[in-house]
Each structure stands twice: as structure tokens, then as C-alpha cells.
Amino acid sequence: MKWEKEIALNSEYDILVAGGGPSGCAAAIAAARLGAKTLLLEASGSLGGMGTIGLVPAWCPFSDKEKIIYKGIAEEVFDRAKQGVKHHKKEDTDWVGIDSEALKRVYDEMVIEAGCDVLFQSSLCDAKRIANKIEYIVVSNKAGLTAYTGKVYIDCTGDADLVAWSGLEFEYGGSQGEVQPATHCFQLSNVDTYSYLNGPVLHSNNKKSPIYDILEDDKYDLIIDSHMCNNLVGPNSVGFNAGHIENVNPTDPTSVSGALIRGRKLANQFHDSLKEYCSTAFASSFLSATAPVMGIRESRRIVGEYRLTIDDYIARHSFQDEIGRCCYYADVHQSLPQSKDSDNAGTNKFLQLGRYNRGESYGIPFRSLIPKGIDNLLVAGKIISCDRGVLGSVRVMPPALVTGQAAGTAAAMASMNDYGIHKVPVDELQAVLEKNNVNLHGL
């Protein structure tokens, strides 16, 4: 028996945003606020990516120790999200905990308020490019396959799927194909909050952290290093961005599936070990959630009009075409020794750079959001054009929101004025961003 069906075609949108993480939400909000008819496509059942379904327990710092760096839509999201974590003060800016359910609602509200349409449980599965333009994308969901055409497309998939499926150039990992290890975040509940806050600091920066005793205990064999970020995310609930899972290829479903199984076992080992080695706080706790998605730090990166580098980071570089600033350090994770030919062999050379001093940041150029060889596609988030060193800085959620807002703004300008993204006037783009409170040139 043969079943044949034509793929439906939808041509009603100006802007199509693939991926509903921080960058995709910011892109969709920015484009819709400027009047472009925008559709946001998300493969899961909620927006927010790693901050929501990924269970990342805290925001990376929003300030340079003097002022907020990630402004505009990023600051709006941050301020609304803080209302869900009552144990933080309104003025707190760095390592603020995340209530993932509250953050889901924040993204829902902001996207809908902007006038953007959203499709959940809808996965990008193909793209058609002719010459220097994407003609359409194909989306899979319970309605089957649907082709969508738009004036401008924005890839916020976190894996540069739209870039790859359009046949455009990208980089992946290091020279040996190595990528930073992944982490499967989880949450423990019924924790004794007083003991947790007043007991030994669990983070590996504390050389007396219980994690070092746990590492010496052979029965916790899946815990391979001291990575142990954790934050109070609600009453008697602690979120963990802890542990590493090596050699996860986020573009290979078999690899990711195996990592998720290992990650759930790893979370259980962390729970058991904390009950043993930090019993005052965790004796009565239970493992209340593991993330439904893997925490991926590194995937494909586009080959763009400008490749942001670790040298730009070191120089605190500003750009004539910058669309935002970043002050996060070069946080390149490594848990096991790499081969001598690896890009991050031996001691993590990027961590030796240290962190920025007060008031320091670097710019992100618009050209890093533009893939080479295409005139109606932009990207945002950790897939922008950059090297592996600066990826450790630009990959986290606050700068993803910033690059998302810039991509959405530029896409709306291009679609509404009927020109390609290469003809977006940078001075006009910057003027719109500044009008919407984006921080440019460190001012």
C-alpha cells in the first residue's frame, strides 16, 4: 500500500525563526515588535532552551561589576525572571538562580505580547536553497510535513541545522573533531536549605568541597571530575549543572540518546553521593527532575563574514558594526586530557586568561551573525562565526539574547524594506538597537 501526500505550503510569514531558546525568543520578539509577521518554531513543548527545559540553575553574570552589560530584551527577560526567585534581591545581577517554570511563562508572555506566532513540537527537518537564497524550509509536526516560505530566516537551533541543511559552510569542534563535554542538569528537592546555605560550599573552587571525597570513591564511577555548579532555585530545591559527559555529538541522535541515558545515571550517582558526603543538607532529599535535553556547550559554528576570535576577547575589542557587548570569561570546559594535537590539549589554556576586570567587555560584530554565501539568513546564539576560545564566552544565555535581538531587528529591517541582509545599513541597525536600550561600544 502506497501513501502519497503533497506537502502543504505556508507563505504568510515575513520572518521564520528556527529554535525557541534564548536567542530564538529574542529574535522573534525583536522582529515582531518592529511589525514583521513572525513565526517561531520550537521542537519541544516550551520556550527558553537551557534555562527552562535544560534546567540550567542560574544565569551567568549580567554585569561587568559596574553596570548591566546585556540590556534590551535580555534585561527585560532577566528582570521578569527574577520575580520567580524570591530569595534573590531585585538588584542582584550575577549568578541569579532560575525557576525554570517561571521562566517558561516569561518567554511565553513576551513572545505573545510582541505579536509573534509560536509552533511547539515542530522540528525543522529540511531546507531548500537556490543560489544565495533559501526558498523554503520544511517543518515536521503532528500535521505532517509543511513547507514555509519567508523573506528572511533566522537559525537559532543551537546546532546550525538550517545553515547545514542549506549547504552552507560551518566548523565543528577542534582539529580532531573534539568538542567540549556536555552536562545533563538535574534538580534535588526536599533539601535542608539552612544546611545547604551554611554548610560546605559544593563548588570545586572550594578545595574542601565534598566533591573531592566523592571523586575518590570508586562506587561513583560516572563522576569523572569536580565540575559542581549549583544554585538554590526555590524553597528546598537545588539545581545542579554538574558533571561532564565526554564525546557527545549533538548532531548525531544516537550519540545524544546514549548521553541522556548516561546522564540520568550520573544524576542519580550525584544524589547518592551527596546524601553520603553532605548528609546534613541532602539526607532527606530526592532527585525531583533531570532535564529532558542534554546541555550542549559546543556544536556547529557558521563560517561568517567575520570570525570573532579569542584575540578579540583578549584585546577587549570594539567593532564599528557591533550589535552588543559581552563580559563573560572564556569558559571552555574540559574534563579529561586531550591528545597532544588537540586544540585544548593539557591544561585549559583559555582559563589561564583569567576573568575581566571591573568595567571591561568586548563587542560582538554584526558580521559574525551573517553566514557566507547567503542573502536571507541570519544566525544567533552559540553558532555565530567564532573560534573555539571565544565560543566559551559567547555561548551562554545572556549574550545569546543579545545576538538574538540583533538578528531579529536586522531581519525585520531587511524584510520590511525588501533588501538582503548584506544591505542592512549598520548605522540604522545600531540606531534601532540603541533606541531599544541595547548596550553598544561599552557606553
Side-chain angles (χ1 to χ4, degrees):
M1 182 177 180
K2 187 176 181 181
W3 179 56
E4 294 183 356
K5 180 183 178 182
E6 286 190 2
I7 297 178
L9 177 64
N10 185 310
S11 302
E12 63 179 288
Y13 293 99
D14 300 316
I15 310 292
L16 295 166
V17 182
S23 64
C25 288
I29 291 166
R33 283 180 177 177
L34 289 176
K37 189 167 177 56
T38 304
L39 177 64
L40 177 58
L41 299 160
E42 168 53 35
S44 75
S46 65
L47 301 174
M50 291 310 301
T52 55
I53 57 173
L55 292 184
V56 167
W59 293 99
C60 290
F62 261 71
S63 83
D64 62 2
K65 305 300 181 184
E66 290 183 351
K67 59 186 176 298
I68 293 287
I69 288 295
Y70 311 101
K71 297 181 71 65
I73 290 172
E75 188 176 19
E76 290 180 55
V77 171
F78 184 55
D79 285 344
R80 290 199 194 193
K82 274 197 289 189
Q83 297 174 25
V85 282
K86 303 300 184 183
H87 55 287
H88 281 285
K89 298 176 183 177
K90 185 178 180 180
E91 61 269 25
D92 288 349
T93 59
D94 298 345
W95 303 114
V96 172
I98 297 174
D99 178 332
S100 60
E101 289 301 319
L103 184 55
K104 287 177 186 177
R105 296 191 298 273
V106 167
Y107 282 120
D108 282 346
E109 291 162 3
M110 290 184 65
V111 166
I112 298 305
E113 288 167 5
C116 180
D117 291 341
V118 182
L119 273 184
F120 290 118
Q121 309 290 355
S122 297
S123 298
L124 177 71
C125 62
D126 201 0
K128 176 68 174 179
R129 174 173 67 93
I130 298 178
N132 66 340
K133 282 193 173 184
I134 294 174
E135 295 295 317
Y136 61 84
I137 60 174
V138 180
V139 175
S140 172
N141 55 26
K142 283 294 185 180
L145 299 178
T146 304
Y148 287 86
T149 64
K151 294 180 178 179
V152 182
Y153 303 79
I154 307 177
D155 188 338
C156 297
T157 60
D159 296 307
D161 288 336
L162 183 48
V163 167
W165 295 341
S166 298
L168 299 170
E169 283 188 276
F170 60 84
E171 296 182 283
Y172 179 85
S175 58
Q176 307 296 308
E178 70 277 12
V179 293
Q180 295 180 56
T183 293
H184 196 199
C185 296
F186 60 93
Q187 185 171 301
L188 302 182
S189 297
N190 202 38
V191 175
D192 185 313
T193 300
Y194 180 86
S195 297
Y196 167 73
L197 294 176
N198 294 281
V201 174
L202 300 179
H203 195 280
S204 59
N205 286 348
N206 172 24
K207 296 308 178 184
K208 295 184 178 180
S209 167
I211 186 60
Y212 294 106
D213 293 322
I214 293 168
L215 278 171
E216 295 297 318
D217 193 328
D218 290 342
K219 65 177 172 288
Y220 302 120
D221 59 312
L222 297 180
I223 301 175
I224 58 176
D225 62 19
S226 60
H227 177 231
M228 178 68 97
C229 296
N230 55 99
N231 294 79
L232 191 69
V233 296
N236 306 320
S237 293
V238 179
F240 287 82
N241 175 358
H244 285 140
I245 302 175
E246 289 283 345
N247 302 316
V248 181
N249 181 345
T251 69
D252 178 355
T254 300
S255 178
V256 174
S257 297
L260 286 166
I261 293 171
R262 183 182 179 90
R264 287 188 278 270
K265 292 179 180 178
L266 176 58
N268 191 56
Q269 282 198 6
F270 268 115
H271 181 224
D272 288 345
S273 65
L274 286 169
K275 286 198 296 183
E276 178 177 354
Y277 286 96
C278 197
S279 59
T280 306
F282 294 98
S284 298
S285 67
F286 67 100
L287 178 59
S288 53
T290 55
V293 295
M294 183 57 57
I296 299 297
R297 294 183 174 88
E298 183 173 10
S299 185
R300 303 183 184 110
R301 310 183 307 279
I302 72 162
V303 174
E305 296 294 328
Y306 181 86
R307 190 173 190 253
L308 190 65
T309 69
I310 195 65
D311 290 332
D312 294 321
Y313 169 92
I314 293 169
R316 281 68 166 163
H317 202 163
S318 292
F319 295 90
Q320 189 173 5
D321 66 333
E322 74 178 50
I323 45 75
R325 306 287 295 181
C326 184
C327 60
Y328 191 58
Y329 72 105
D331 185 11
V332 180
H333 282 236
Q334 180 179 330
S335 55
L336 299 176
Q338 306 293 323
S339 71
K340 63 182 178 64
D341 298 322
S342 168
D343 286 356
N344 58 342
T347 303
N348 191 329
K349 60 186 178 183
F350 301 118
L351 293 182
Q352 296 176 12
L353 297 173
R355 305 194 184 198
Y356 277 1
N357 296 318
R358 293 175 64 90
E360 294 184 331
S361 61
Y362 66 92
I364 303 171
F366 178 49
R367 289 165 293 161
S368 291
L369 279 58
I370 304 174
K372 284 187 175 180
I374 195 77
D375 206 36
N376 63 345
L377 173 65
L378 289 160
V379 308
K382 69 176 183 283
I383 66 173
I384 69 170
S385 183
C386 64
D387 69 15
R388 297 192 71 213
V390 80
L391 172 67
S393 169
V394 80
R395 65 179 172 80
V396 296
M397 292 187 292
L401 286 160
V402 169
T403 56
Q405 181 170 359
T409 302
M413 292 172 63
S415 70
M416 295 169 73
N417 291 285
D418 203 26
Y419 48 57
I421 54 165
H422 292 89
K423 294 184 179 180
V424 173
V426 171
D427 57 343
E428 293 182 21
L429 170 61
Q430 291 173 325
V432 175
L433 292 173
E434 287 186 307
K435 181 180 179 182
N436 288 285
N437 204 34
V438 173
N439 178 23
L440 300 181
H441 307 297
L443 301 177

